Amino acid sequence: MKKLKSLADKPIIGGVVKRAMTSLASNDAKVISKHFSQYLRPQIANTEELRHEVYHLRHQVYCEELNFEDIKESHEEHDEFDNRSIHCFVRHLSSKSLAGTVRLIQSNAEQELLPIEQFCSHAIDHPELSPANFPRDAICEISRLAVPENFRKRAIDKFKGAATGAINEQAFSETELRCFPYIAICLYLAATAMAMQTKRYHGFVMMEPRLARSLTFVGIQFQQIGKLIEFHGKRAPFYIDARQLRENLSPGYLKLLESVERDLIQSGGLKPTTDKGYNNGFSMNPQVSTN
């Protein structure tokens, strides 16, 4: 796979190589999706107790491991955007600990800016794909994705900005270890599924361009809408239309998405619906924090 990546941007053969990489990733995801739910369970943090678990994990990653934020006396990391966010997390079933989290920030009024508008608007230069060009109740931002270091496996992911590192492999089974690199992808799938179900189709995120490129091999296609700036590392603004997620995902990752959706239903975050406007037959039952 590493050799293929080095050829993916080459002229003439690059397109063939990218298709090969996508096929390999899809085949691996088919295998992983069969085992993912045995070890890891996506859920919506729809109670005060669960949200405090999320805030504690965010403090561990953003304040203690990455030093992006100051250490808090409460050992919980949260801000003013949490009150209008849907929080999702992945729980490791055998240890009961959280293996990752992400939030979907909503906006319902002109004064309710997304973080990307409030802090990074100067980086957005796309003439059409700006949050200001869409109705406030149709936009959202994927934010605060965090995976703690004990669930970060691959040596290639040890760079600080990605919040990934070594893992104590003796503590987990071989199959569990294969699932761990998919936690971040699972969180992106959960976030875009939440965006789809709340009809907030126009999603925004600040991320590293190389992460966005990697996600295209999965079929999660973020579009860069501005320049690279310093924002907890070199990041750029990206846009995604949640309605295109299912049609772009490779077959293996469609299976993983379906697994994520089933787990979110069981956690009370999604509920079945007969609304034909939803491609996957689910609707959102959001529990937004009011703390």
Side-chain angles (χ1 to χ4, degrees), residues 153-171:
K153 174 179 181 288
R154 299 175 300 177
I156 194 174
D157 289 334
K158 288 183 179 179
F159 59 91
K160 182 177 179 181
T164 49
I167 185 171
N168 180 8
E169 302 196 10
Q170 295 179 347

Side-chain angles (χ1 to χ4, degrees), residues 99-116:
T101 184
V102 70
R103 68 181 177 184
L104 193 78
I105 303 174
Q106 306 176 95
S107 173
N108 295 300
E110 292 296 330
Q111 65 271 24
E112 289 187 347
L113 298 178
L114 299 176
I116 199 170

Side-chain angles (χ1 to χ4, degrees), residues 138-141 200-205 222 238-242:
I139 64 173
C140 61
E141 182 169 344
R200 294 180 177 273
Y201 303 127
H202 306 288
F204 298 87
V205 63
F222 285 96
F238 284 83
Y239 165 86
I240 190 169
D241 187 329

Side-chain angles (χ1 to χ4, degrees), residues 26-92:
S26 179
N27 290 338
D28 199 29
K30 287 180 183 178
V31 177
I32 293 299
S33 64
K34 295 179 181 179
H35 302 287
F36 195 89
S37 291
Q38 296 178 31
Y39 306 107
L40 299 156
R41 184 68 46 81
Q43 294 179 239
I44 301 296
N46 51 13
T47 69
E48 199 67 22
E49 181 180 2
L50 290 176
R51 286 190 286 272
H52 281 297
E53 281 194 79
V54 165
Y55 300 153
H56 181 78
L57 175 62
R58 279 169 33 183
H59 187 277
Q60 177 184 336
V61 174
Y62 280 86
C63 303
E64 299 172 25
E65 295 178 15
L66 299 180
N67 300 313
F68 284 169
E69 305 288 347
D70 294 333
I71 298 292
K72 310 293 192 300
E73 186 175 347
S74 64
H75 288 280
E76 293 187 355
E77 193 280 317
H78 56 84
D79 57 32
E80 69 272 23
F81 301 105
D82 287 316
N83 291 336
R84 48 186 170 98
S85 297
I86 301 170
H87 302 271
C88 179
F89 64 88
V90 174
R91 190 180 295 281
H92 182 236

Side-chain angles (χ1 to χ4, degrees), residues 97-283:
S97 58
L98 298 197
T101 184
V102 70
R103 68 181 177 184
L104 193 78
I105 303 174
Q106 306 176 95
S107 173
N108 295 300
E110 292 296 330
Q111 65 271 24
E112 289 187 347
L113 298 178
L114 299 176
I116 199 170
E117 296 177 283
Q118 186 167 328
F119 303 115
C120 306
S121 60
H122 60 288
I124 300 174
D125 54 23
H126 196 286
E128 298 174 355
L129 300 180
S130 169
N133 292 340
F134 301 102
R136 301 309 295 181
D137 61 358
I139 64 173
C140 61
E141 182 169 344
I142 301 170
S143 170
R144 283 299 195 264
L145 189 147
V147 179
E149 63 181 352
N150 54 317
F151 288 97
R152 301 193 297 254
K153 174 179 181 288
R154 299 175 300 177
I156 194 174
D157 289 334
K158 288 183 179 179
F159 59 91
K160 182 177 179 181
T164 49
I167 185 171
N168 180 8
E169 302 196 10
Q170 295 179 347
F172 304 101
S173 72
E174 181 179 348
T175 308
E176 284 178 292
L177 288 172
R178 289 189 65 201
C179 291
F180 287 172
Y182 288 79
I183 292 173
I185 293 175
C186 170
L187 291 168
Y188 277 112
L189 291 175
T192 50
M194 290 188 294
M196 183 64 189
Q197 303 314 317
T198 55
K199 297 187 177 181
R200 294 180 177 273
Y201 303 127
H202 306 288
F204 298 87
V205 63
M206 291 293 295
M207 68 166 61
E208 295 186 8
R210 62 177 167 178
L211 173 57
R213 286 194 298 270
S214 297
L215 291 173
T216 61
F217 295 113
V218 174
I220 305 176
Q221 298 184 4
F222 285 96
Q223 179 179 347
Q224 188 167 339
I225 58 171
K227 59 182 178 293
L228 202 64
I229 63 170
E230 179 63 36
F231 187 71
H232 297 318
K234 296 294 184 180
R235 286 170 166 74
F238 284 83
Y239 165 86
I240 190 169
D241 187 329
R243 292 168 293 190
Q244 298 176 356
L245 176 65
R246 298 183 75 84
E247 64 186 62
N248 290 332
L249 280 178
S250 58
Y253 285 95
L254 272 175
K255 290 186 178 296
L256 185 58
L257 174 61
E258 290 166 0
S259 174
V260 168
E261 290 169 337
R262 283 194 300 270
D263 289 336
L264 291 179
I265 283 180
Q266 293 176 5
S267 75
L270 295 178
K271 59 182 180 179
T273 180
T274 57
D275 185 352
K276 295 182 180 179
Y278 293 101
N279 292 333
N280 56 3
F282 303 134
S283 68

